[in-house]
């Protein structure tokens, strides 16, 4: 990606701002990232960060319930929000003429969201339907993002279900909402990003006009979620009432994504060498040559890379035939990792992975919504939104020895193995 | 719960200054014109090439009409799609993947009852290789026995997974209920058919149906459209000129009727799927119908979403939208709901359908939907992938970039009366049919009490 023309500054109330003008299409993206995700939920309130994300759409001092959606869409825009382990984001993409309106909408809910008992009850129902849709009523629901962490991790922040248990969701109170907002949704704990068709001077003036008087509150201390890697192999099992075939997820701890970025990137390249495309090592061996599994994936993060601080997880997942024992798959996996550790991949093998990463990053950032969110999350996690533009080069600089070292670190005696079994075998 | 001192919810929702007015919209700049070529090659392939140089990439879509009446067609077509990229005389499976990887590229192949579709992309500098691989597999895919056997095995396992997905179950039931035994209903082949597919059968299907005459290629990206057409002409010169693609027979017109309740024991959620005849993008009423659909359930600020999600909490997502097949179109209404509120959600959905014609959309509802239709078209076509997808969808009815450019004007010309008429003409509850899939014990009595619901398996 070409070096973006970025402007960064901080308002008096602590809100960090990233501006990335680009006139190629008459549209703008606006996002707000808050530095709180589901790892910060207290015990007894699993799923709260995500539930709260829903409530932020339910009205604010100047906007009745439903008005947020109506103003964005009747301006020709689209919107959404999402909750990650370490942050929650809110975003709109609109025709450029709606920039001020989008800034107003985000500012109004940052300043004074309307948290009511009625909306809370309604959104608890909606979130429960979301969980039924995505987890309870479908095969492999929550695999592996909900099911693997409790096997790999021991502490509540890392191990619990980020979608939440129904009993916890039902007990969420307005008091909880008020405390969560006042603690975590301070302007100093957030990043505002604007990308697309606008001028910097105009955007600065509009941002000051709408966000300037959001009162400052202290930035909450960010706890460490560190915990030691597993001292042996950990195993877990899950019965799935809908799955027709068994599945397997293997989770390894990765280098610190923030403080050891190059080590982390070596793992991304390793993921490509193992799993990306028919020529990748595990695809060739496990899917085509032996063959032991139907489909296979390898990569970083529960929902993808660059969405969490330490600790983060490298996962390998596979769906396989009932007659294949998980240990056969694990044995083949360990052999391939040992081979890589002993004999580093050749240049062509690396080139195929890095060229696909370069093209993938270009493609992702061609979509304004993804580009806006990337600037925001890299500002939040790395203090460096410009990193977005240099990632492809950093990935291309990963050496064969780096990949071999990353493979060597994925040890069988320090991993989590989750086995998913169909509840009705042979169905 | 996390801080020792905080304000109450009520204090948080109030400021001294009080509510503020929402800013007006500023002035909108029009999207730049894109240079493009829309032409038909000597071998009959339509090529739509557009320069959009926002990133150094190129997106390629190829759609080949690919219908077949043979009992084994869906299974053979599925195996063909899964095996197309496993080798040619020049390249084996790994070589294909490696060459594509080195140009940052990928090609994906999919098939449905109407067409065989290819999605390809690469760094723009790799376009010659991308076209060479495309031409190689289109003219020389070899379908060696071992690859066909292995891909068939994997397909059987993947189909087992697909058939446990509630949305797949509901879709299959809806197709059978509304279209009977029309070939369009055979979207997911059966495992027992897959095992009957032979490499000879796959090769014969390729020879008979993977043809350029009647197919469309869309190419968008950092390219020179004039030059790229010549490059494609040369790369594809060996791709057959005998015969034409096989086009799916027209779908029967939907006339409305009972909703079929399909039992799925133990389901914790139900799928509501309703459907009615609509008109395609080429119809003069389409722009009005599109706005009407947004008002009903086509976006978040719609009557249906505001009722059954934001007011009643029955569903995470309710949605209505168009499905285009050949020259025809239908409008589908979907919602997934908890078992104990399914009947109530169906009742509210029918109520909103009826109300749309009787209490027609207001000026402000129409204006909101109009702006959304125009704005989302601009946003969705601002990226290479978005534009390529949009153009591919248009190409099957002969439309192209001119349609995208002129559509905002058509939307701007729609009147409130046009929308009221479209609501009556197309959204009346009696025009709909459909299915509900869910737990019979919890749903059966309530659903049948509503009326207009029959219980059973789709014929």
């Amino acid at each position: 990606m070409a070096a973006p023309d970025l402007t960064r500054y901080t308002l008096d109330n602590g809100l960090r701002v990233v501006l990335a003008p680009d006139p190629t299409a008459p549209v703008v993206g606006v996002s707000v990232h808050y530095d709180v995700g589901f790892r910060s939920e207290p015990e007894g309130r699993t799923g709260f960060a995500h539930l709260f994300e829903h409530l932020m759409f339910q009205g604010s001092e100047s906007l009745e319930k439903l008005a947020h959606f109506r103003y964005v869409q009747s301006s020709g825009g689209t919107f959404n929000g999402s909750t990650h382990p370490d942050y929650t984001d809110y975003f709109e993409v609109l025709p450029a003429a709606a920039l001020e309106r989008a800034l107003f909408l985000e500012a109004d809910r940052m300043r004074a969201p309307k948290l009511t008992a009625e909306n809370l009850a309604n959104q608890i129902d909606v979130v429960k339907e979301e969980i039924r849709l995505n987890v309870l009523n479908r095969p492999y629901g929550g695999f592996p993002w909900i099911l693997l962490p409790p096997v790999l991790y021991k502490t509540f922040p890392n191990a619990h279900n980020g979608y939440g248990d129904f009993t916890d969701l039902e007990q969420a109170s307005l008091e909880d909402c008020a405390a969560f907002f006042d603690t975590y949704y301070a302007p100093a704990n957030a990043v505002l990003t604007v990308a697309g068709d606008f001028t910097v001077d105009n955007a600065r003036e509009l941002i000051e006009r709408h966000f300037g008087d959001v009162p400052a509150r202290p930035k909450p201390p960010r706890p460490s979620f560190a915990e030691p890697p597993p001292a042996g192999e950990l195993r877990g099992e899950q019965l799935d009432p809908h799955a027709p075939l068994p599945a397997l997820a293997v989770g390894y701890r990765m280098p610190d994504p923030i403080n050891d970025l190059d080590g982390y990137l070596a793992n991304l390249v390793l993921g490509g060498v193992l799993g990306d495309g028919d020529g990748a090592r595990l695809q060739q061996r496990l899917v085509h040559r032996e063959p032991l599994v139907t489909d296979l994936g390898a990569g970083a993060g529960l929902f993808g890379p660059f969405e969490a601080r330490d600790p983060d997880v490298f996962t390998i997942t596979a769906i396989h035939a009932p007659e294949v024992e998980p240990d056969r798959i694990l044995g083949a996996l360990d052999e391939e990792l040992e081979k890589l550790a002993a004999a580093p991949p050749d240049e062509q093998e690396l080139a195929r992975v890095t060229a696909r990463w370069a093209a993938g990053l270009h493609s992702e950032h061609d979509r304004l919504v993804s580009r806006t969110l990337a600037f925001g999350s890299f500002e939040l996690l790395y203090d460096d939104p410009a990193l977005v533009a240099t990632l492809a080069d950093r990935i291309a600089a990963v050496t064969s020895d780096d990949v071999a070292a990353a493979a060597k670190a994925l040890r069988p005696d320090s991993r989590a193995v989750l086995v998913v079994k169909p509840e009705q075998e042979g169905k | 719960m996390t801080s020792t001192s905080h304000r109450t919810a009520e204090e948080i929702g109030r400021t001294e200054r009080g509510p503020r007015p929402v800013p007006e919209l500023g002035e909108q700049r029009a999207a730049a014109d894109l240079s493009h070529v829309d032409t038909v090659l000597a071998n009959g392939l339509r090529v739509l090439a557009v320069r959009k140089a926002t990133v150094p990439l190129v997106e390629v879509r190829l759609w080949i009409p690919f219908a077949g009446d043979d009992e084994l067609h869906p299974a053979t077509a599925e195996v063909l799609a899964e095996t197309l990229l496993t080798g040619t005389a020049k390249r084996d499976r790994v070589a294909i993947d490696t060459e594509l990887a080195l140009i940052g590229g990928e090609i994906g192949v999919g098939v449905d009852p109407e067409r065989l579709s290819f999605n390809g992309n690469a760094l723009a500098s790799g376009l010659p290789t991308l076209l060479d691989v495309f031409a190689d597999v289109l003219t020389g895919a070899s379908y060696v026995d071992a690859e066909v056997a292995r891909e068939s095995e994997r397909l059987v396992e993947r189909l087992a997974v697909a058939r446990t997905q509630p949305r797949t179950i509901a879709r299959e039931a809806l197709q059978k209920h509304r279209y009977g035994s029309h070939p369009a209903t055979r979207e997911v082949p059966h495992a027992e058919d897959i095992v009957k597919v032979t490499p000879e059968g796959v090769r014969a299907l390729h020879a008979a149906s993977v043809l350029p005459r009647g197919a469309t290629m869309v190419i968008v990206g950092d390219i020179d459209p004039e030059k790229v057409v010549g490059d494609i002409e040369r790369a594809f010169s060996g791709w057959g000129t005998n015969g034409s693609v096989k086009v799916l027979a027209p779908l029967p017109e939907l006339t409305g009727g009972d909703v079929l309740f399909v039992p799925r024991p133990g389901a914790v959620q139900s799928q509501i799927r309703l459907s009615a005849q609509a008109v395609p993008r080429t119809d003069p009423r389409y722009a009005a119908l599109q706005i009407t659909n947004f008002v009903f359930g086509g976006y978040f600020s719609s009557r249906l979403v505001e009722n059954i999600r934001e007011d009643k909490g029955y569903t995470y997502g309710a949605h209505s939208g168009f499905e285009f097949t050949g020259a025809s179109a239908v409008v589908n209404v979907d919602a997934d709901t908890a078992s104990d509120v399914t009947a109530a959600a169906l009742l509210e959905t029918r109520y909103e359908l009826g109300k749309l014609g009787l209490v027609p959309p207001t000026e402000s509802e129409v204006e909101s939907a109009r702006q959304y239709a125009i704005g989302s078209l601009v946003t969705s076509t601002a990226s290479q992938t978005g534009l390529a997808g949009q153009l591919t969808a248009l190409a099957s009815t002969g439309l192209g970039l001119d349609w995208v450019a002129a559509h905002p004007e058509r939307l701007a010309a729609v009147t409130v009366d046009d929308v009221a008429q479209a609501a009556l003409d197309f959204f009346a509850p009696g025009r709909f049919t459909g299915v509900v899939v869910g737990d019979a014990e919890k749903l059966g009595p309530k659903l049948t009490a509503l009326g207009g619901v029959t219980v059973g398996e789709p014929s």
Side-chain angles (χ1 to χ4, degrees):
Chain A
M1 174 179 181
D5 179 17
L6 293 177
T7 300
R8 299 167 69 206
Y9 63 100
T10 304
L11 298 188
D12 290 344
N13 57 19
L15 176 66
R16 280 166 288 166
V17 179
V18 179
L19 303 178
D22 164 28
T24 53
V27 285
V28 288
V30 173
S31 69
V32 179
H33 285 71
Y34 291 94
D35 198 339
V36 60
F38 55 74
R39 282 212 270 226
S40 297
E41 290 159 359
E43 298 200 37
R45 287 294 178 275
T46 60
F48 192 83
H50 171 242
L51 174 63
F52 193 81
E53 173 213 317
H54 277 242
L55 283 172
M56 286 292 283
F57 287 96
Q58 295 291 311
S60 50
E61 183 176 38
S62 310
L63 298 154
E64 291 299 312
K65 178 180 165 82
L66 303 177
H68 184 96
F69 310 120
R70 287 175 180 164
Y71 276 113
V72 173
Q73 296 196 312
S74 68
S75 310
T78 55
F79 64 87
N80 214 334
S82 65
T83 309
H84 301 250
D86 286 335
Y87 63 82
T88 307
D89 59 33
Y90 300 84
F91 54 91
E92 297 88 40
V93 172
L94 322 90
L99 172 61
E100 183 176 6
R101 189 171 276 189
L103 293 170
F104 174 87
L105 296 175
E106 288 298 346
D108 209 61
R109 61 179 167 181
M110 183 183 288
R111 182 168 37 240
K114 214 176 283 167
L115 305 168
T116 71
E118 190 190 347
N119 288 339
L120 177 59
N122 169 258
Q123 291 304 310
I124 288 171
D125 282 345
V126 169
V127 166
K128 283 162 70 180
E129 284 309 300
E130 183 178 353
I131 294 169
R132 287 189 180 103
L133 179 74
N134 291 333
V135 182
L136 301 176
N137 200 42
R138 71 159 53 153
Y140 314 108
F143 174 80
W145 77 274
I146 293 174
L147 304 174
L148 187 58
V151 188
L152 178 64
Y153 294 117
K154 292 212 158 24
T155 61
F156 174 81
N158 295 323
H160 77 270
N161 174 356
Y163 245 156
D165 299 319
F166 280 15
T167 46
D168 284 1
L169 290 169
E170 282 158 5
Q171 279 166 21
S173 68
L174 264 194
E175 175 79 9
D176 295 333
C177 297
F180 197 80
F181 178 81
D182 261 0
T183 307
Y184 293 116
Y185 279 63
N189 205 37
V191 171
L192 167 69
T193 307
V194 183
D197 187 18
F198 63 89
T199 64
V200 169
D201 286 350
N202 186 42
R204 284 189 82 122
E205 189 193 317
L206 296 176
I207 288 166
E208 185 57 41
R209 186 184 306 163
H210 294 292
F211 287 90
D213 72 341
V214 177
R217 296 197 300 283
K219 181 182 170 72
R222 195 169 62 223
S224 164
F225 296 117
E227 62 169 280
E233 185 181 84
L234 303 167
R235 294 236 177 179
E237 196 176 290
Q238 180 77 27
L239 285 183
D240 188 319
H242 306 294
L245 294 171
L248 181 72
V250 189
Y252 300 91
R253 292 280 298 274
M254 297 178 71
D256 182 336
I258 312 299
N259 297 308
D260 182 9
L261 178 60
D262 289 317
Y264 186 82
L265 296 180
N267 276 257
L268 295 194
V269 176
L270 173 64
V273 168
L274 293 174
D276 186 12
D278 277 348
R281 294 191 176 205
L282 291 179
Q283 296 285 354
Q284 279 197 54
R285 172 157 180 189
L286 293 180
V287 181
H288 303 301
R289 219 166 49 230
E290 298 224 342
L292 295 177
V293 311
T294 309
D295 282 298
L296 178 134
L302 294 173
F303 315 97
F306 311 118
E307 48 116 37
R309 300 187 179 94
D310 190 59
D312 202 359
V313 51
F314 184 91
T315 63
I316 292 170
T317 57
I319 294 180
H320 59 93
E323 60 272 17
V324 175
E325 283 302 313
D327 281 329
R328 277 187 70 196
I329 301 169
L330 292 169
L333 167 63
D334 288 336
E335 274 177 36
E336 291 301 320
L337 288 171
E338 274 165 33
K339 263 191 233 169
L340 264 175
D346 64 31
E347 252 174 59
Q348 194 193 60
E349 212 175 350
L350 287 196
R352 3 171 328 134
V353 175
T354 52
R356 274 199 171 133
W357 265 103
L361 288 166
H362 279 309
S363 178
E364 192 183 329
H365 299 140
D366 190 35
R367 294 179 61 234
L368 181 58
V369 61
S370 314
R371 191 163 75 238
T372 308
L373 289 173
F375 288 135
S377 62
F378 276 81
E379 168 69 35
L380 190 85
L381 296 174
Y382 290 87
D383 232 358
D384 184 9
L387 193 53
V388 170
T390 53
L391 267 183
D393 289 342
R394 291 276 286 263
I395 289 171
V398 169
T399 67
S400 302
D401 288 341
D402 297 337
V403 176
K408 194 173 179 183
L410 302 189
R411 301 172 52 83
D413 61 0
S414 182
R415 70 178 171 201
V417 176
L418 167 76
V419 171
V420 173
K421 290 188 168 172
E423 201 165 276
Q424 299 142 294
E425 296 268 4
K427 188 186 132 185
Chain B
M1 70 184 172
T2 35
S3 76
T4 44
S5 75
H6 59 83
R7 296 171 291 169
T8 65
E10 208 187 328
E11 286 163 351
I12 287 171
R14 258 198 329 254
T15 65
E16 224 166 275
R17 186 172 140 190
R20 308 168 188 219
V22 179
E24 294 299 317
L25 296 178
E27 193 139 325
Q28 182 62 29
R29 184 168 69 83
D33 282 340
L34 298 167
S35 70
H36 76 288
V37 172
D38 192 343
T39 188
V40 177
L41 305 184
N43 67 3
L45 177 70
R46 178 180 172 202
V47 176
L48 217 175
V50 185
R51 174 169 177 78
K52 188 167 180 59
T54 42
V55 284
L57 297 177
V58 57
E59 283 288 333
V60 178
R61 303 278 184 275
L62 173 63
W63 271 19
I64 304 176
F66 208 68
D69 298 328
D70 187 85
E71 268 302 303
L72 221 51
H73 176 77
T76 313
E78 201 74 47
V79 174
L80 178 144
E82 290 296 330
T83 326
L84 228 155
L85 296 171
T86 60
T88 67
K90 284 201 276 185
R91 300 170 168 98
D92 67 7
R93 179 199 277 269
V94 173
I96 290 174
D97 185 54
T98 301
E99 279 200 55
L100 291 174
L102 289 172
I103 56 165
E106 279 168 329
I107 298 177
V109 186
V111 72
D112 62 35
E114 198 179 3
R115 60 181 72 89
L116 183 69
S117 50
F118 297 73
N119 276 6
N121 56 67
L123 292 163
S125 56
L127 182 58
T129 304
L130 185 66
L131 292 180
D132 189 57
V133 173
F134 255 109
D136 193 21
V137 297
L138 288 169
T139 57
S142 45
Y143 306 102
V144 299
D145 295 2
E147 295 286 6
V148 171
R150 172 58 187 149
E151 287 308 323
S152 299
E153 257 175 56
R154 287 177 78 194
L155 258 177
V156 167
E157 292 177 351
R158 283 178 171 165
L159 291 173
V161 175
R163 282 188 190 285
T164 51
Q165 295 283 0
R167 62 170 181 272
T168 310
I169 296 169
R171 172 73 187 178
E172 191 157 39
L174 175 68
Q175 286 299 77
K176 283 187 184 162
H177 182 58
R178 62 182 178 174
Y179 296 129
S181 59
H182 189 282
T185 60
R186 298 153 69 197
E187 293 178 338
V188 184
H190 292 274
E192 59 268 29
D193 288 339
I194 297 287
V195 300
K196 291 183 203 152
V197 174
T198 62
E200 295 74 35
V202 178
R203 288 192 279 262
L205 179 61
H206 186 113
S209 294
V210 181
L211 297 171
R213 190 165 302 282
T216 303
M217 178 170 258
V218 169
I219 178 162
V220 174
D222 190 359
I223 52 158
D224 172 350
E226 299 284 350
K227 182 180 170 299
V228 99
V229 170
D231 294 343
I232 293 171
E233 179 104 61
R234 269 187 301 281
F236 289 6
S237 60
W239 190 21
T241 48
N242 294 328
S244 291
V245 297
K246 310 276 186 301
V247 176
L248 185 70
L251 288 170
E253 183 119 340
L254 292 182
T255 53
D258 274 9
V259 166
L260 180 73
F261 172 56
V262 180
R264 181 170 173 248
V268 300
Q269 206 177 37
S270 318
Q271 287 68 49
I272 298 173
R273 303 286 186 266
L274 306 181
S275 184
Q277 197 64 39
V279 291
R281 294 184 181 94
T282 46
D283 191 288
R285 290 169 295 175
Y286 176 73
L289 180 58
Q290 195 189 2
I291 290 176
T292 312
N293 174 62
F294 281 127
V295 173
F296 175 73
Y299 69 156
F300 206 92
S301 307
S302 63
R303 291 183 177 189
L304 185 66
V305 177
E306 292 190 355
N307 180 342
I308 70 173
R309 172 176 154 136
E310 292 299 300
D311 184 45
K312 304 203 173 65
Y314 289 162
T315 184
Y316 174 59
H319 180 255
S320 69
F322 300 102
E323 181 185 352
F324 301 97
T325 309
S328 74
V330 294
V331 63
N332 294 329
V333 181
D334 301 351
D336 290 25
T337 63
S339 298
D340 51 352
V341 297
T342 300
L346 179 62
L347 176 69
E348 292 297 331
T349 304
R350 285 177 171 168
Y351 161 79
E352 292 293 352
L353 287 170
K355 187 178 161 198
L356 197 70
L358 305 178
V359 186
T362 62
E363 180 101 39
S364 93
E365 282 179 290
V366 170
E367 215 39 58
S368 170
R370 188 199 319 273
Q371 290 310 319
Y372 182 75
I374 295 170
S376 56
L377 185 67
V378 173
T379 306
S380 70
T381 54
S383 69
Q384 291 178 355
T385 46
L387 183 61
Q390 179 81 49
L391 292 176
T392 309
L394 293 173
S396 56
T397 33
L399 303 172
L401 197 60
D402 299 344
W403 189 92
V404 177
H407 198 52
E409 281 169 39
R410 282 189 290 272
L411 290 164
V414 171
T415 67
V416 175
D417 287 344
D418 296 338
V419 172
Q421 193 62 48
L424 266 184
D425 290 347
F426 295 101
F427 283 83
R431 301 184 77 252
F432 280 78
T433 183
V435 298
V436 174
V437 180
D439 189 274
E441 231 167 89
K442 291 189 199 133
L443 270 69
K446 286 183 189 167
L447 273 183
T448 41
L450 271 185
V453 178
T454 24
V455 182
E457 291 292 329
S459 52

